[in-house]
């Protein structure tokens, strides 16, 4: 929660930037959620009501009002870099000290009514500029001869015709986007990235969901999706190939005896990766509930830094956007990432007969410095076997 610093007679308090997490030292004041106009008193706010948003390279944090009152003034500006404890606004608990700003707006209105006379004087002065502009126009007429040189380059077939700058817009990158860009580029520069592929027949998993979705929803209060099946398959694969769950640290290899699955979630503000902790101890229902909770928090911007920290393996589902095939990039400091894709009905040979089957391409990008092709292929094969026949999980085979 926020700190509030009382000033003056105790009627005024300061709204300051809260603690943003162990690894976050500053953020950008993205926008104010309340207004403070010169013509009118500031917006009324209640205790703990958000008045501004601070954007960090991981999450967006709300700055709440420490007291109920009226915004007297903003101390910081949108776009400023702020640290925990930085004062951004002053709140008047009684609402006094704000309304007096209105008269100052009225004086400009009076002043605005006085400009007409000066406008007449300016009209008298206008002929002089016209004379100057006329003389200026004569000079360009003399300089009409230079235009011939430009045509030659325009006729050059090798020079591209670029669109005018007026048709372009330049906007600053958000801190989250800059952070994502840096991490992905670091991943490419650090890891020896290699991707292996396979395809999965989704018939049995989809049949399982279709047959038990109603009973599952009635008992557990959450829908049975396909993601829980892939998380369980990934857990099984990581247990069979622990090197996939390991990571290089200097000259050492750190083997993790836990499985925390990161789920990549696309949001309007950028990519976030919440973590399902202790996935090896969870059943289908627990996984679905956790995914549902984290996805909602990620979408509405309430997910915390702790809920995105860590993770030993990532699953990215580009299939929700219709991606048929891709090569996902590793999420540092992990060593591999599984890419899911869209399900497409394709003709497949089953028992010597061509039949339509719902098929999905899956991809595993891994750090080849640590993981050999053999382990990567075996891992992906295990994903395929478990998804195509979920009964393997019950029999542990």
């Amino acid at each position: 929660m926020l700190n509030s610093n009382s000033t003056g007679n105790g009627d005024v308090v300061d709204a300051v930037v809260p603690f943003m997490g162990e690894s976050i030292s500053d953020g950008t004041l993205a926008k104010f959620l309340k207004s403070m106009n010169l013509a009118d008193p500031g917006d009324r706010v209640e205790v703990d009501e958000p008045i501004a948003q601070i954007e960090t390279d991981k999450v967006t944090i709300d700055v709440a009002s420490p007291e109920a009152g009226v915004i007297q003034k903003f101390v910081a500006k949108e776009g400023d870099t702020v640290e925990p404890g930085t004062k951004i606004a002053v709140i008047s608990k009684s609402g006094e000290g704000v309304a007096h700003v209105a008269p100052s707006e009225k004086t400009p209105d009076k002043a605005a009514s006085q400009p007409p006379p000066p406008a007449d004087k300016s009209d008298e002065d206008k002929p002089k500029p016209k004379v100057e502009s006329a003389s200026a126009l004569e000079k360009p007429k003399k300089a009409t001869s230079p235009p011939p040189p430009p045509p030659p380059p325009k006729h050059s077939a090798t020079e591209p015709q670029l669109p005018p700058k007026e048709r372009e817009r330049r906007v600053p990158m958000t801190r989250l986007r800059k952070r994502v860009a840096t991490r992905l580029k670091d991943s490419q520069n650090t890891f020896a990235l290699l991707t292996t592929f396979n395809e999965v027949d989704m018939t049995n998993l989809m049949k399982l969901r279709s047959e038990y979705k109603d009973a599952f929803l009635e008992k557990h209060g959450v829908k049975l999706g396909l993601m829980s099946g892939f998380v369980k398959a990934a857990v099984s694969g990581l247990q069979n190939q622990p090197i996939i769950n390991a990571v290089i640290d200097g000259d050492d290899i750190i083997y993790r005896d836990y499985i925390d699955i990161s789920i990549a979630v696309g949001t309007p503000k950028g990519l976030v990766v919440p973590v399902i902790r202790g996935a090896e101890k969870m059943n289908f229902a627990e996984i679905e509930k956790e995914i549902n909770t984290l996805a909602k928090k990620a979408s509405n911007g309430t997910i915390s830094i702790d809920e995105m920290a860590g993770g030993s393996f990532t699953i990215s589902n580009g299939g929700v956007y219709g991606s048929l095939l891709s090569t996902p990039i590793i999420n540092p400091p992990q060593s591999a990432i599984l890419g899911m894709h869209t399900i497409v009905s394709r003709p497949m040979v089953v028992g010597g007969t061509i039949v339509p089957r719902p098929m999905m391409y899956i991809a595993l990008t891994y750090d080849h410095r640590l993981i050999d092709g053999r382990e990567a292929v075996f891992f992906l094969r295990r994903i395929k076997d478990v998804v195509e026949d979920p009964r393997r999980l019950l029999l542990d085979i």
Side-chain angles (χ1 to χ4, degrees), residues 37-40 98-112:
N37 300 320
L38 292 177
D40 302 304
V98 183
H100 73 278
V101 180
S104 64
E105 182 66 17
K106 292 180 180 179
T107 53
D109 293 338
K110 294 178 181 179

Side-chain angles (χ1 to χ4, degrees), residues 67 71 98 107 142 160 221 228 234 252 270 273 297-298 313 322 325 347 373 389:
E67 298 285 349
I71 298 177
V98 183
T107 53
K142 297 177 181 179
S228 57
D252 300 323
V273 192
K297 288 184 176 181
F313 181 79
L325 193 62
D389 189 359

Side-chain angles (χ1 to χ4, degrees), residues 55-57 172-184 267-271:
E55 186 180 81
T56 72
D57 54 10
M173 293 175 67
T174 63
R175 290 179 70 99
L176 177 58
R177 174 53 56 193
K178 287 191 287 187
R179 178 62 175 171
V180 170
T182 299
R183 285 177 62 83
L184 293 180
T267 71
K269 293 184 178 180
L271 180 69

Side-chain angles (χ1 to χ4, degrees), residues 83-163:
E83 300 177 351
T86 302
K87 181 169 70 173
I88 68 165
V90 177
I91 310 296
S92 173
K93 290 188 286 186
S94 65
E96 297 179 358
V98 183
H100 73 278
V101 180
S104 64
E105 182 66 17
K106 292 180 180 179
T107 53
D109 293 338
K110 294 178 181 179
S113 62
Q114 296 176 357
D120 296 336
K121 294 180 181 180
S122 61
D123 292 338
E124 296 176 1
D125 297 337
K126 285 181 180 178
K128 294 180 181 180
K130 288 180 180 179
V131 175
E132 294 176 359
S133 61
S135 60
L137 289 172
E138 293 177 359
K139 294 180 180 179
K141 289 179 181 179
K142 297 177 181 179
T144 52
S145 54
K154 290 183 180 179
H155 291 298
S156 176
T158 58
E159 184 175 342
Q161 298 297 317
L162 300 178

Side-chain angles (χ1 to χ4, degrees), residues 164-312:
K165 295 294 183 181
E166 292 75 12
R167 296 175 60 186
E168 300 177 349
R169 290 181 296 112
R170 182 184 294 270
V171 295
M173 293 175 67
T174 63
R175 290 179 70 99
L176 177 58
R177 174 53 56 193
K178 287 191 287 187
R179 178 62 175 171
V180 170
T182 299
R183 285 177 62 83
L184 293 180
K185 192 57 185 174
D186 288 345
S187 177
Q188 285 188 322
N189 294 339
T190 303
F191 300 138
L193 299 175
L194 188 60
T195 305
T196 184
F197 303 91
N198 213 319
E199 59 181 355
V200 179
D201 187 341
M202 300 292 293
T203 300
N204 290 330
L205 185 59
M206 294 176 68
K207 182 180 179 181
L208 178 70
R209 182 179 67 166
S210 177
E211 290 180 354
Y212 294 101
K213 63 180 181 180
D214 294 334
F216 190 89
L217 177 61
E218 182 179 355
K219 180 176 181 178
H220 301 292
V222 65
K223 293 182 179 180
L224 176 61
L226 299 178
M227 183 60 78
S228 57
F230 276 89
V231 170
K232 294 292 288 184
V235 167
S236 178
L238 293 171
Q239 290 173 334
N240 287 354
Q241 302 293 334
I243 192 66
I244 308 291
N245 202 44
V247 66
I248 293 177
D249 183 19
D251 294 331
D252 300 323
I253 298 175
I254 298 177
Y255 286 89
R256 294 154 169 155
D257 296 328
Y258 59 87
I259 298 177
D260 290 350
I261 304 292
S262 302
I263 305 294
V265 178
T267 71
K269 293 184 178 180
L271 180 69
V272 294
V273 192
V275 181
I276 301 175
R277 304 193 186 283
E280 74 277 11
K281 303 174 184 177
M282 303 171 74
N283 58 31
F284 278 81
E286 292 170 333
I287 292 173
E288 287 291 355
K289 289 178 181 179
E290 187 69 5
I291 291 175
N292 191 277
T293 299
L294 293 174
K296 286 182 178 179
K297 288 184 176 181
S299 297
N300 59 31
T302 59
I303 192 165
S304 67
I305 297 173
D306 291 339
E307 289 171 318
M308 295 189 294
S312 59

